[in-house]
Amino acid sequence: MVGSHPDKAGRRGRAPSQRQLRVGEEVRHVLAGVFQRGELHDPELDGVSITVSEVSVSPDLRNATVFVMPLGGAHADDVLAGLKRAAPFLRTMLAKQMTLRTVPRMRFLIDTAFETASRINQMFQDPVVRADLEKDDDGEEGGNGA
């Protein structure tokens, strides 16, 4: 899912560098391992399965936006609050498992890409939209005018 979020382009619309992408993927991998092993001891996160879909790292590698989704999307606000409290511990885990001069500060956001894709898919299933698309495919209406 790299590049799926609007803020991935960074400042001035530039695409992330290979280093940003590599560091982001490594952060994602470490965090996913911590969540999978259940190393967080926060009541809001106890027994919650959290997916880390993407990590966007700033050009200076000092900040990271971590896109997460609790299983089923349940209690998202509580999960975000728990992750915010756990951020110092997670940063320590990153420092132990990664070799970086500076361990990025993390900001957690709920990943809405899955929800958006589902909504778009539902639109394509709407009978009116399907009929309209079929007309375009058959060349009846909405063609290029040739």
Side-chain angles (χ1 to χ4, degrees), residues 88-129:
F89 170 76
L90 292 169
R91 199 163 179 224
T92 300
M93 296 303 290
L94 290 178
K96 289 179 181 178
Q97 296 183 39
M98 297 176 66
T99 53
L100 291 172
R101 284 186 201 153
T102 304
V103 178
R105 284 185 217 91
M106 291 174 283
R107 176 177 71 141
F108 294 94
L109 296 176
I110 295 297
D111 189 349
T112 59
F114 299 114
E115 182 181 306
T116 302
S118 177
R119 220 174 30 243
I120 290 170
N121 192 33
Q122 284 179 335
M123 277 193 247
F124 282 126
Q125 300 307 316
D126 183 303
V128 174
V129 173

Side-chain angles (χ1 to χ4, degrees), residues 31-71:
L31 291 176
V34 170
F35 297 156
Q36 183 180 15
R37 290 186 298 273
E39 295 180 27
L40 297 177
H41 304 290
D42 186 287
E44 301 292 350
L45 304 174
D46 191 35
V48 176
S49 180
I50 301 171
T51 299
V52 182
S53 57
E54 183 177 355
V55 177
S56 174
V57 182
S58 66
D60 63 4
L61 307 179
R62 293 181 186 269
N63 298 293
T65 303
V66 181
F67 295 95
V68 298
M69 178 56 75
L71 186 63

